[in-house]
Amino acid sequence: MESLEKLPNIGAILADRLREAGVSDATELRRLGAEAAYAKISAELPEDARGHTLFALEGAIRGTRWTSIPQEERATLASRVFD
């Protein structure tokens, strides 16, 4: 069982939010995907944290910093979640 905190972009606060929402480890996050995991925690997020949290989850699943995700892919992900 790989800890959430071992993934890029996942610090203690985001890991706690995920666990409280039922996402207990990295395997579960990967199984759910960024969009579904985000849906589980979005109600608990401050408005200004929503976009970068979604991208952080996607980056964590990919094993990279969220800023490395191409802008076009971030825009597509955001449009599926926020539109």
Side-chain angles (χ1 to χ4, degrees), residues 2-82:
E2 185 180 5
S3 170
L4 290 165
E5 290 91 347
K6 293 201 182 249
L7 298 174
N9 313 308
I10 307 288
I13 293 172
L14 183 51
D16 286 346
R17 284 187 172 130
L18 287 164
R19 284 188 197 99
E20 288 171 11
V23 182
S24 59
D25 59 32
T27 301
E28 180 65 10
L29 176 60
R30 290 183 188 109
R31 186 189 69 73
L32 282 173
E35 292 175 51
Y38 177 82
K40 288 178 164 277
I41 63 170
S42 63
E44 304 299 320
L45 295 172
E47 187 69 32
D48 63 343
R50 292 174 185 241
H52 75 264
T53 300
L54 173 64
F55 304 143
L57 293 169
E58 181 65 25
I61 290 166
R62 294 180 184 203
T64 188
R65 297 290 300 157
W66 72 267
T67 54
S68 297
I69 300 170
Q71 181 62 39
E72 183 176 296
E73 291 179 38
R74 283 187 266 162
T76 299
L77 180 59
S79 71
R80 287 195 310 255
V81 174
F82 300 125

